[in-house]
Amino acid sequence: MTAHEWAMYIFVGMLTLALYVYVFFPAKQRGEAVVKTRLAYLYERKDVVYENLRDLNFEHKAGKFTEADFEAMRSNMEAEAARILAEIEKLEGMKVAAN
């Protein structure tokens, strides 16, 4: 083997080792996961449900859903939104009472 071949093998081996370390041993300083409270989760969920309701109305106006399907999906989404809002109100009430 020539010196050029040895250098290539060493380079490929080091690159493989570096890739292995990068993939299987991630740095501990990478962004830590944000811990969400139940209240923060509910506010995010509320926003998603409201956005879904807006999309549903748009798609219904575009003729993608029958009236029966639209009413069924809308009532389910509105019920979910009501449950979320009720839980938000409950948790905020507990938060105020604790202070």
Side-chain angles (χ1 to χ4, degrees):
M1 277 200 203
T2 66
H4 179 67
E5 289 174 331
W6 276 104
M8 186 175 64
Y9 285 128
I10 290 172
F11 175 73
V12 170
M14 290 177 64
L15 184 63
T16 303
L17 180 63
L19 183 63
Y20 178 82
V21 169
Y22 177 77
V23 170
F24 293 107
F25 299 101
K28 298 206 187 289
Q29 294 178 348
R30 289 192 182 166
E32 293 183 20
V34 176
V35 178
K36 291 184 184 178
T37 64
R38 177 72 177 162
L39 196 56
Y41 167 76
L42 289 171
Y43 275 115
E44 286 181 13
R45 187 70 190 130
K46 178 190 75 142
D47 292 341
V48 169
V49 171
Y50 283 178
E51 184 178 338
N52 289 344
L53 277 167
R54 283 190 295 276
D55 289 345
L56 180 66
N57 283 325
F58 176 79
E59 290 177 0
H60 174 64
K61 289 178 184 177
K64 291 185 178 181
F65 298 110
T66 64
E67 192 65 33
D69 289 341
F70 170 71
E71 290 298 328
M73 287 188 280
R74 187 182 76 181
S75 66
N76 285 338
M77 285 185 198
E78 287 175 347
E80 183 177 358
R83 284 191 300 272
I84 291 168
L85 290 174
E87 189 170 351
I88 287 173
E89 187 175 317
K90 176 184 167 190
L91 291 174
E92 284 182 342
M94 291 170 53
K95 187 174 158 182
V96 169
N99 291 334

